[in-house]
Amino acid sequence: MARHRDIAASPVRTAAETWDVIRDLIAATLDRSEHIDGELVRRVLDDAAPAGTALVAAGYTGGADITLVAAPLRLTIRTVGGSEAFKAHADENLNPVPGAATAQDWTVYLPRPAGLSALVDDVIGGAEHLSSGPPPQEAQESTNSNSAVIDLRSLDPARRS
């Protein structure tokens, strides 16, 4: 089940505040599963904060997704900066994202731009729940083979794809 959230960044929030919002959204989403400890999620994402904050501050997360895969949920998160951040902030949905209640494992995939690749690699190091590789597509598949996933954002000309 594919979901997406836009998170307001600068000038609404600092890069560190934006990363905290992303961390809390992911942790609250995964905490609904009886198999995943939300506090562990927070600790893992706190350890990833140097890379996450740098990715947000440099604007990479405005064009590349942070992706949570916790089958059956696949959540993509992008940040919105500049004057568009105010609209994104007004439209934000920071409630736990539906779909991870049955998840048994999870991985957060971070972008790995050339300018920050060493930092991302260092943070991911041996972290069990972090990756900089491309996220797998399986979590995006619907359990009902007759249904199709339609990204309604692509129909709104005011939104970027």
Side-chain angles (χ1 to χ4, degrees):
M1 143 184 348
R3 306 279 184 175
H4 178 81
R5 292 292 188 268
D6 284 331
I7 306 297
S10 179
V12 174
R13 295 182 178 100
T14 66
E17 290 168 340
T18 303
W19 181 254
D20 288 348
V21 169
I22 292 168
R23 177 206 58 209
D24 291 345
L25 175 64
I26 292 172
T29 295
L30 293 174
D31 199 34
R32 293 192 163 200
S33 170
E34 65 182 47
H35 306 286
I36 299 173
D37 177 13
E39 286 307 311
L40 169 66
V41 175
R42 279 183 179 79
R43 284 193 303 272
V44 168
L45 295 176
D46 279 343
D47 290 346
T53 302
L55 289 164
V56 171
Y60 288 115
T61 54
D65 294 331
I66 294 169
T67 303
L68 165 65
V69 175
L73 176 66
R74 178 188 177 88
L75 171 64
T76 54
I77 300 170
R78 284 208 181 174
T79 59
V80 180
S83 62
E84 292 297 313
F86 296 102
K87 180 179 180 338
H89 187 252
D91 295 340
E92 272 181 343
N93 179 355
L94 300 179
N95 295 318
V97 179
T102 60
Q104 296 190 19
D105 197 13
W106 60 279
T107 303
V108 173
Y109 295 84
L110 298 175
R112 189 180 178 271
L116 293 175
S117 61
L119 177 60
V120 171
D121 289 346
D122 185 49
V123 164
I124 289 175
E128 179 182 356
H129 297 285
L130 298 174
S131 177
S132 63
Q137 297 298 316
E138 293 85 50
Q140 198 170 16
E141 298 295 322
S142 171
T143 57
N144 179 355
S145 62
N146 294 327
S147 68
V149 176
I150 299 172
D151 183 358
L152 296 177
R153 292 173 295 134
S154 66
L155 301 175
D156 182 356
R159 288 199 176 261
R160 57 189 153 79
S161 55

